[in-house]
Amino acid sequence: MSAELPVTPDDPARGGGDGRLLRGTARVLAAAGLAVDAYVHAHLAGRYDAVMADISQGTLFRIEAGMAALAALLVLVWRRWPADLFAWSVATGGLALLLIYRYADIGAWGPFPDMYEPVWFTEKRVSVVAQAVAMVATVYLLLFRPRRRTRVDRPH
C-alpha cells in the first residue's frame, strides 16, 4: 500500500511557486539558445552560398536562422505547448543535422547539397551549445506543463 502525496499549488513540476521561476528560466534559456543559433546561421550563410545542388547550403542556413528566430520569439511571447514543440523541433533538428554532417558524409540527396564538414570551428561549437541548451530547456517546458486550475483550486 503506497500513499500518494498531494500535489500542492507550489509544486515546481506543476507551475506553482518555484515552478514559475523554473519555467521562466527555461523559456529565457530556450530563447537565448535559439537566438544565438539564428545569429550564427545568418552570419555564416554567405560563406556557404557556393555549396549547392538545387538549393544552396547558404539558403538552408538562412531558413534555419529564420526558423530559430521565430521559435525564440514564440517561446517567449506565446507560452503554449505548440510554440514549445516548434522550438524543440528547430533546436533538435538543427543539432541533429549539424552532428550528422559533422560525422557522416552522406553526400548530396535530392535538392540538398553535400554538406559534410568534418571539422570543428568556433561558430560550429557555439551553435552546438546553443542548440543543446535550447533543446534541454524546451524538453523541460514540454514535460512539466503547468496544471490547469479548476474551480476547486481557485482561492475564495
Side-chain angles (χ1 to χ4, degrees), residues 74-88:
L74 286 175
V75 83
L76 285 176
V77 299
W78 191 45
R79 295 180 226 160
R80 302 284 185 266
W81 71 265
D84 299 340
L85 183 61
F86 177 68
W88 175 84

Side-chain angles (χ1 to χ4, degrees), residues 128-148:
V128 164
V129 171
Q131 289 171 330
V133 166
M135 182 183 71
V136 170
T138 54
V139 164
Y140 177 84
L141 292 171
L142 290 166
L143 290 179
F144 298 105
R145 307 296 311 160
R147 182 172 59 121
R148 293 224 184 241

Side-chain angles (χ1 to χ4, degrees), residues 42-126:
H43 177 72
L44 293 176
R47 293 186 198 172
Y48 290 95
D49 282 333
V51 180
M52 57 185 316
D54 290 341
I55 187 168
S56 78
Q57 188 172 349
T59 299
L60 293 172
F61 272 36
R62 288 179 187 91
I63 291 169
E64 169 70 14
M67 289 176 50
L70 176 61
L73 181 64
L74 286 175
V75 83
L76 285 176
V77 299
W78 191 45
R79 295 180 226 160
R80 302 284 185 266
W81 71 265
D84 299 340
L85 183 61
F86 177 68
W88 175 84
S89 299
V90 171
T92 304
L95 179 60
L97 287 172
L98 188 151
L99 293 173
I100 288 168
Y101 284 113
R102 164 58 179 89
Y103 292 107
D105 187 358
I106 61 174
W109 50 280
F112 302 106
D114 183 0
M115 296 188 285
Y116 178 61
E117 189 174 44
V119 295
W120 285 106
F121 52 92
T122 302
E123 291 94 339
K124 190 181 280 190
R125 286 185 188 105
V126 167

Side-chain angles (χ1 to χ4, degrees), residues 20-37:
R20 287 184 134 169
L21 179 62
L22 289 173
R23 288 186 61 75
T25 301
R27 287 196 181 287
V28 169
L29 286 172
L34 289 160
V36 168
D37 178 43

